[in-house]
Amino acid sequence: MDETKDSLFDKAKVAVRSTIVDDELDAELNDLILSARADLKLFGLVDKADTDETLIAQAVLLYVKANWGYDNPDAERFEELYQQLKNKLSVSTQFAQGTAYEV
C-alpha cells in the first residue's frame, strides 16, 4: 500500500479485527476512512473532519465498521450508530461549521 495511510489507519485495522497483511485490503480500508471524513465534511463538519479528535475518530471508525466486508451481521447497527453520532456532532457548536463541503 502507498505510504499515505490516514492517521486513523492502525486504529481502523484493529476495529475491523484485520490481521491480514494485504496491500489491496489496506488500500480499501484507507479509502473507507477517507470516505468517512468526506461524508462528515458533506454534513457540515468541515474543519473538524480531518482531525483525530475523539468523537470524530469514533465516527470514522463506526463508518468503517459499518462498511467493511460483505457478510457483516452488525453493519446496520454500526451504520445507525454512525448516523446518530454524526447528527449529534452536526448540531454541536464545537463541531458544526455551518458550511457544507463542495464536491
Side-chain angles (χ1 to χ4, degrees), residues 16 28 32 64-72 75:
V16 298
E28 181 180 345
L32 282 174
V64 168
K65 289 172 84 167
N67 291 285
W68 180 255
Y70 295 112
D71 297 322
N72 181 353

Side-chain angles (χ1 to χ4, degrees), residues 5-20 25-26 29-30 33 57-58 60-62 64-65 68 78:
K5 288 187 217 175
D6 188 89
S7 58
L8 288 177
F9 179 82
D10 291 332
K11 286 184 180 183
K13 193 142 182 165
V14 170
V16 298
R17 311 293 191 260
S18 178
T19 57
I20 298 170
L25 289 177
D26 287 354
L29 183 60
N30 199 63
I33 296 167
Q58 184 60 38
V60 169
L61 295 176
L62 286 169
V64 168
K65 289 172 84 167
W68 180 255
F78 288 127

Side-chain angles (χ1 to χ4, degrees), residues 41-93:
K41 287 179 182 179
L42 284 170
F43 214 68
L45 301 167
V46 178
D47 293 338
K48 297 287 185 174
D50 289 326
T51 70
D52 290 341
E53 194 158 332
T54 305
L55 289 174
I56 295 295
Q58 184 60 38
V60 169
L61 295 176
L62 286 169
Y63 181 96
V64 168
K65 289 172 84 167
N67 291 285
W68 180 255
Y70 295 112
D71 297 322
N72 181 353
D74 296 318
E76 284 185 39
R77 181 172 66 97
F78 288 127
E79 177 64 26
E80 184 177 323
L81 291 169
Y82 168 71
Q83 293 298 333
Q84 288 174 5
L85 181 53
K86 182 172 76 169
N87 288 336
K88 288 177 184 177
L89 292 171
S90 73
V91 296
S92 166
T93 56

